[in-house]
Amino acid sequence: MTKMNVIPEVKSGESLASYIYRLAEANFYVSMESLLSEWKMRVRQLEKNVFTDSVLEIIMGITGVEKNSIRQMSSQYFRCQFGDGFYKKYVIRNQHKYCPECLSQHAYHKHDWMLEPVTICLDHELLLLDACQGCQSKITLRGLMTGACEGCGFYFSAANKEKISDPFLVESQKILQNQLLNNEIIKKGALKGLDIVGFLKLARSCSYFLQGNLSFVGKPIVIEPFYKKNVTLNNEMSCYKYGNVYWIFIDFPINIKKVKKNFDQLPNRYKHAKLQMAKKISSNSDCSVLLGKIYELLDKPTKARVKQTKKIIPVLKKQRKQKQACAAKDNVVITNDLVDQDCITREEACSILGIIGKEQMNRIIDSGFLILRKYPKGRWFLSKNEVVNFLEKYTGEYKSFDNGITFYGALKKYSQSGLSMVRLLSFIRESKLEPFRIKKGGNFTDVIFQSCELKRCMNDFYKIKYERKGYTKSELLKLLRMDFFTIDALEKRGVIKASFEKSKLGNRKIKMYDKKTIEDFQKRYIDLKQAAALFNVTILHLRKLIWSGVLHEALPGITKKYIVDVNETRALLVSS
Ligand SMILES: [Zn+2]
Ligand SMILES: [Zn+2]
């Protein structure tokens, strides 16, 4: 049993490792190793502030400090308090940081300096330092406890100090250190109700929108990704990240709109990836509601994106702009009524509905969704009342939605498969697809569908499309139970015919086998099993007829199994 002559007092917020260093020093141990070897412990573990239960008991025996109090000074405390995920991500174990003012005054290491989210010393409003200013190398605990860098001998207390006065940076740290790390939840503002784990998840989610931006608070430094594995600690970056997240929510949603401005400039696939990642992190967490709000804002199409959407609507591409006053042909009513307040132009209707282009409007009219009226003097109007009713009916009810596909998203995704706006509206009309509005009020830009429902509609749509035309080769293989070579051989002989059609995606031609020809083929050419059943004879009997040359193989050299012509077989069997 280790005996000590001097038992120092535990200092406020001190880490256990720091205390052990001071204990060894007070009792004139030559080195830490000599003390630790008595406890079967390594310096590496001490650097991480990790202690086994038996060592905790030894320390309790020596110092008389209660075991629970000792445990609270070790890194395990963070694991017990905030969980495994927190411990792995946010407790730094391979390097150290410190407040130069604290260190020069008291010469001990604080437990909270081991946390990535703790970035400022609130007592001194100084940025914690995470590297030796002499040689830029990582700081070790042993170095900190002796006061000088193990690499170059730089005195840590002599380091240049960086005062942090930006209110967002300081406030975010106050919330983190004084509330969240004390196991309290945030009490007010948009972040109300979040605990430490919720806040950190939210911060990581938000990092996907913030990274690459210049910081919105403090100095204009570029914000880096929040959490990267195996990357050296960057305390200043951590400080700015949490400061920026705090800033987003201190004035919500004004500030996130500033982030959105830059976010909108990104290519779509980056945006999509970022939104997905953010969503993944925050799912099943307290912060998912907040993130949902951000998501909704960021995912909303901008004017620029609406312009893009215009490009992708296929009918607009193909259709030449018509020069007549009215391009709508059907569903036009001629009236002698006077123009009144209910009359609106197609352009006005477009803006109410959130639809771009008169041509699109004309298609909607042609398809019978709305009536266009011709008033005297060749003026054309829609009824505002009818337009509003149409909007109500086809945009569905308000519902908050966190996954699904938007109206324009659907058009974009399936436009090349032949989905047009009118077709999409028809799905709704036929009650195959239920629209929801993600915003109260709102128009078609706020409409969202359940992805699976839309997929089902599209599958039905494909089926109808191809039923008329014929079979693909793979469908034919299954249908005739033949292999590729047989099909090719049949085609060469002209027994079945194929034609080329545009594929679903329109980007290549696809071979389609005419349905009628295939049906005729199936009726005429049958295998022995089918023939036996049809004419009520045994398969063996048929085989014998073929072997004896009475019945002929219908497709010799093409099929592996015997195929006979139904007419020939009938003639033979019925006459005999
Ligand atoms: Zn300090
Ligand atoms: Zn150094």
Side-chain angles (χ1 to χ4, degrees):
M1 177 91 193
T2 322
K3 283 222 167 64
M4 302 274 180
N5 297 322
V6 184
I7 307 297
E9 285 277 303
V10 174
K11 296 197 173 168
S12 155
E14 185 172 18
S15 70
L16 186 54
S18 164
Y19 180 68
I20 298 303
Y21 267 105
R22 292 197 301 113
L23 185 70
E25 194 191 29
N27 290 282
F28 303 104
Y29 272 81
V30 184
S31 70
M32 267 329 280
E33 282 85 352
S34 57
L35 171 62
L36 294 181
S37 65
E38 290 176 28
W39 299 350
K40 297 193 175 64
M41 191 175 164
R42 301 225 169 131
V43 175
R44 212 175 54 217
Q45 285 167 291
L46 190 70
E47 280 283 324
K48 291 181 178 171
N49 197 27
V50 173
F51 298 83
T52 60
D53 224 46
S54 55
V55 173
L56 288 178
E57 249 158 54
I58 295 170
I59 297 170
M60 180 179 72
I62 296 168
T63 61
V65 182
E66 206 205 324
K67 192 171 162 190
N68 262 345
S69 314
I70 296 174
R71 198 198 303 273
Q72 281 191 16
M73 298 161 67
S74 75
S75 285
Q76 283 103 310
Y77 165 76
F78 296 123
R79 193 197 291 257
C80 301
Q81 203 69 0
F82 307 118
D84 225 31
F86 177 91
Y87 182 74
K88 281 185 188 146
K89 285 196 180 70
Y90 301 107
V91 179
I92 309 155
R93 280 154 293 167
N94 58 351
Q95 67 181 104
H96 291 276
K97 52 186 180 181
Y98 72 103
C99 163
E101 195 58 43
C102 284
L103 198 71
S104 66
Q105 284 178 15
H106 307 293
Y108 71 91
H109 172 251
K110 286 189 177 174
H111 197 198
D112 282 354
W113 291 345
M114 300 198 73
L115 298 175
E116 186 266 351
V118 172
T119 58
I120 297 176
C121 169
L122 289 174
D123 294 340
H124 303 111
E125 293 203 342
L126 290 178
L127 192 69
L128 299 185
L129 303 177
D130 56 13
C132 165
Q133 286 187 358
C135 66
Q136 306 307 320
S137 61
K138 288 181 183 178
I139 294 167
T140 60
L141 191 64
R142 196 207 296 256
L144 271 188
M145 294 311 294
T146 52
C149 171
E150 283 195 289
C152 70
F154 177 83
Y155 279 105
F156 289 127
S157 53
N160 287 328
K161 296 158 193 165
E162 189 176 340
K163 188 103 181 155
I164 298 291
S165 50
D166 182 277
F168 294 105
L169 297 178
V170 174
E171 271 310 307
S172 58
Q173 282 299 305
K174 280 187 181 163
I175 287 179
L176 265 162
Q177 295 183 33
N178 298 342
Q179 295 179 29
L180 294 173
L181 288 171
N182 278 336
N183 242 339
E184 291 170 21
I185 55 168
I186 298 177
K187 292 182 194 73
K188 51 184 182 178
L191 294 169
K192 191 176 165 184
L194 283 188
D195 63 1
I196 180 79
V197 174
F199 176 78
L200 292 174
K201 274 197 177 170
L202 181 71
R204 278 184 66 205
S205 296
C206 288
S207 81
Y208 286 95
F209 315 129
L210 284 168
Q211 57 188 239
N213 277 297
L214 289 181
S215 174
F216 294 92
V217 301
K219 301 180 289 187
I221 57 174
V222 178
I223 303 172
E224 289 170 10
F226 259 44
Y227 171 72
K228 291 189 285 186
K229 265 187 183 160
N230 307 323
V231 161
T232 321
L233 180 72
N234 183 341
N235 183 64
E236 184 181 42
M237 194 49 68
S238 295
C239 178
Y240 271 72
K241 287 162 188 173
Y242 295 114
N244 275 280
V245 172
Y246 173 74
W247 168 83
I248 287 179
F249 290 98
I250 200 75
D251 193 2
F252 193 80
I254 307 293
N255 288 346
I256 188 70
K257 283 181 181 161
K258 294 179 189 164
V259 180
K260 180 177 160 64
K261 255 187 203 166
N262 294 347
F263 188 73
D264 283 335
Q265 308 297 317
L266 291 171
N268 269 337
R269 61 198 171 94
Y270 290 169
K271 270 191 271 193
H272 184 71
K274 279 173 184 254
L275 287 168
Q276 286 302 316
M277 283 307 293
K279 212 167 164 184
K280 201 173 146 195
I281 289 169
S282 68
S283 64
N284 299 326
S285 153
D286 294 347
C287 67
S288 60
V289 178
L290 269 178
L291 194 83
K293 288 182 188 168
I294 292 191
Y295 202 90
E296 205 176 285
L297 269 167
L298 292 184
D299 204 26
K300 207 176 152 190
T302 54
K303 277 175 194 162
R305 259 173 86 191
V306 172
K307 264 185 207 160
Q308 280 176 8
T309 321
K310 184 176 172 179
K311 277 186 213 149
I312 58 144
I313 298 171
V315 288
L316 288 180
K317 250 195 254 166
K318 290 175 198 159
Q319 204 175 356
R320 284 259 170 82
K321 251 200 167 173
Q322 309 239 14
K323 278 180 185 164
Q324 302 107 288
C326 174
K329 297 177 290 293
D330 307 319
N331 244 352
V332 176
V333 173
I334 297 170
T335 172
N336 282 319
D337 289 353
L338 288 174
V339 176
D340 60 16
Q341 284 186 330
D342 189 46
C343 291
I344 54 169
T345 63
R346 274 165 285 175
E347 282 85 356
E348 284 166 329
C350 280
S351 74
I352 291 174
L353 298 174
I355 286 170
I356 310 121
K358 205 168 165 184
E359 294 90 343
Q360 197 63 263
M361 201 65 228
N362 287 338
R363 296 208 140 218
I364 290 172
I365 294 163
D366 279 344
S367 308
F369 292 98
L370 287 167
I371 297 169
L372 185 68
R373 291 185 180 79
K374 187 182 181 187
Y375 284 80
K377 295 180 193 166
R379 291 192 295 169
W380 302 83
F381 292 110
L382 290 154
S383 153
K384 186 176 181 181
N385 210 3
E386 283 173 15
V387 170
V388 170
N389 283 341
F390 168 71
L391 183 68
E392 284 294 313
K393 196 170 159 193
Y394 283 86
T395 52
E397 299 200 327
Y398 168 75
K399 193 179 173 191
S400 79
F401 225 88
D402 50 10
N403 60 348
I405 184 160
T406 62
F407 188 82
Y408 282 103
L411 285 175
K412 186 176 179 185
K413 186 169 177 189
Y414 293 110
S415 67
Q416 289 191 317
S417 316
L419 181 68
S420 63
M421 190 182 282
V422 163
R423 170 73 53 193
L424 195 54
L425 290 170
S426 303
F427 288 154
I428 302 172
R429 178 160 60 186
E430 291 156 16
S431 304
K432 287 179 183 163
L433 190 62
E434 193 180 0
F436 297 101
R437 238 177 297 183
I438 49 172
K439 203 171 101 184
K440 282 185 179 130
N443 53 35
F444 281 106
T445 55
D446 307 301
V447 166
I448 194 160
F449 307 110
Q450 279 177 326
S451 306
C452 55
E453 222 175 77
L454 180 67
K455 213 175 263 172
R456 217 176 300 136
C457 286
M458 285 311 293
N459 281 340
D460 290 347
F461 176 53
Y462 293 145
K463 265 185 217 153
I464 295 165
K465 232 174 129 187
Y466 286 103
E467 245 164 34
R468 275 176 268 126
K469 296 181 177 174
Y471 301 112
T472 61
K473 198 167 195 173
S474 59
E475 281 168 341
L476 198 60
L477 291 174
K478 274 185 220 154
L479 193 71
L480 299 181
R481 276 170 283 153
M482 289 172 172
D483 57 29
F484 266 105
F485 301 105
T486 314
I487 302 279
D488 280 343
L490 286 174
E491 208 184 313
K492 260 184 210 154
R493 294 264 180 107
V495 183
I496 55 173
K497 283 193 183 75
S499 59
F500 283 95
E501 282 170 17
K502 265 197 169 176
S503 70
K504 286 176 199 172
L505 293 172
N507 52 1
R508 64 196 170 94
K509 289 201 166 170
I510 194 166
K511 213 178 215 180
M512 298 297 282
Y513 295 87
D514 177 61
K515 221 177 156 183
K516 180 80 173 55
T517 320
I518 300 302
E519 272 169 20
D520 290 346
F521 175 86
Q522 279 181 300
K523 273 184 203 152
R524 184 167 171 193
Y525 299 104
I526 54 177
D527 62 21
L528 296 189
K529 198 176 165 190
Q530 287 168 310
L534 192 63
F535 300 111
N536 202 18
V537 291
T538 62
I539 293 175
L540 186 65
H541 178 66
L542 291 167
R543 279 211 185 112
K544 279 180 179 165
L545 288 175
I546 292 172
W547 293 335
S548 60
V550 181
L551 182 64
H552 297 98
E553 227 187 303
L555 304 165
I558 295 179
T559 53
K560 281 176 201 155
K561 55 184 180 182
Y562 291 129
I563 298 283
V564 292
D565 185 322
V566 76
N567 297 331
E568 190 199 339
T569 317
R570 183 181 288 117
L572 188 73
L573 290 175
V574 172
S575 71
S576 63

